[in-house]
Amino acid sequence: MKLARGIEKRLENLVDGVSASVFRGRLHPVAIASRLLRQLDFLAEESAVGPQVPNDLTVVLHPADLDPSLVVADLEHELATAVTVAARVEGWRLIGPVEVHIETSDEVPRGVIQCAGDMTRGRMEPWAQLIAEDASAVVPISMNRTLIGRALECDVRIPDANVSRHHATIVRMGDAVHITDLGSSNGTYVNGDRISDVPVMLVPGAQLVIGGRPFTYRMVA
């Protein structure tokens, strides 16, 4: 997986801008991040709204692969940022903020990293909102893949009999945001048009009706 240039540059800066894949015989932070992101593909699980990856990650590598000049806490922070950005680009679902913990073990072969992770719920900053037409509610959208409906397990729960248990999904992938109806009884409308199971792009200011409940879609700066 190709790292976004901004993230790659931040990782390079941890070793004074050196961009080689191996730094003084040890793994460069860019190489660690690339291998971590590749392993996330294998750790992804299918959720009701698509691929979901762990957000509480442990990375284990051989002691000789970790440069002693690196501040481990800084590397952990930058790796967490890389995972967060990759999740947005790939449309991976995260259920909480990303944390990365680095450990070393002589049992891990040189040049290899091992990765394990858990899915731990936690508060995430919203990137969008659904604003009720009557201003009675402002609903935050925090996940890249958000399930909307009446059921308790929905990420955005609308306790209304006209809203289906699993009514619709909102998916952010890169800079694009789409909404899809999940075969709801009373339908999902975007700017007056009823949508189907074919994703429809959302733009700020779009008028949504979910099971008869009107909302305005708004991005959070």
Side-chain angles (χ1 to χ4, degrees):
M1 180 184 297
K2 184 174 177 58
L3 286 174
R5 181 58 191 157
I7 294 300
E8 184 175 349
K9 186 64 178 176
R10 289 175 59 166
L11 289 162
E12 289 173 358
N13 286 342
L14 290 177
V15 288
D16 300 323
V18 179
S19 59
S21 61
V22 176
F23 179 69
R24 289 186 300 212
R26 298 178 172 89
L27 287 177
H28 190 281
V30 173
I32 296 173
S34 296
R35 297 178 193 196
L36 169 60
L37 296 179
R38 285 200 297 270
Q39 290 206 23
L40 280 179
D41 276 327
F42 297 100
L43 295 176
E45 298 179 0
E46 280 298 314
S47 71
V49 288
Q52 176 173 298
V53 296
N55 60 299
D56 190 356
L57 298 159
T58 299
V59 173
V60 187
L61 63 163
H62 193 279
D65 281 333
L66 186 63
D67 194 285
S69 68
L70 288 173
V71 177
V72 172
D74 290 345
L75 178 56
E76 290 173 334
H77 174 76
E78 295 302 338
L79 290 176
T81 299
V83 171
T84 301
V85 171
R88 174 176 175 172
V89 171
E90 299 295 321
W92 289 332
R93 175 180 160 92
L94 296 166
I95 64 171
V98 177
E99 293 189 11
V100 176
H101 314 281
I102 296 176
E103 299 178 359
T104 58
S105 171
D106 290 325
E107 296 181 3
V108 178
R110 289 288 308 271
V112 172
I113 75 165
Q114 295 179 352
C115 179
D118 295 315
M119 298 179 189
T120 305
R121 286 198 175 272
R123 183 182 180 280
M124 301 173 67
E125 291 299 319
W127 53 268
Q129 296 173 333
L130 298 180
I131 303 173
E133 185 179 62
D134 60 4
S136 61
V138 176
V139 182
I141 305 293
S142 303
M143 298 180 184
N144 295 323
R145 291 178 176 269
T146 298
L147 176 62
I148 302 171
R150 194 179 74 248
L152 291 175
E153 67 269 19
C154 290
D155 306 310
V156 170
R157 183 170 180 262
I158 304 175
D160 186 311
N162 293 315
V163 175
S164 296
R165 287 179 52 79
H166 291 177
H167 196 103
T169 61
I170 291 178
V171 175
R172 177 176 66 162
M173 185 176 294
D175 293 327
V177 180
H178 294 85
I179 186 169
T180 305
D181 186 79
L182 297 177
S184 64
S185 299
N186 294 304
T188 302
Y189 294 78
V190 179
N191 296 328
D193 296 325
R194 184 165 183 166
I195 67 172
S196 65
D197 59 356
V198 177
V200 171
M201 182 172 290
L202 281 182
V203 297
Q207 302 299 304
L208 308 183
V209 178
I210 300 172
R213 298 283 296 272
F215 296 90
T216 299
Y217 169 73
R218 173 179 178 270
M219 296 293 289
V220 175

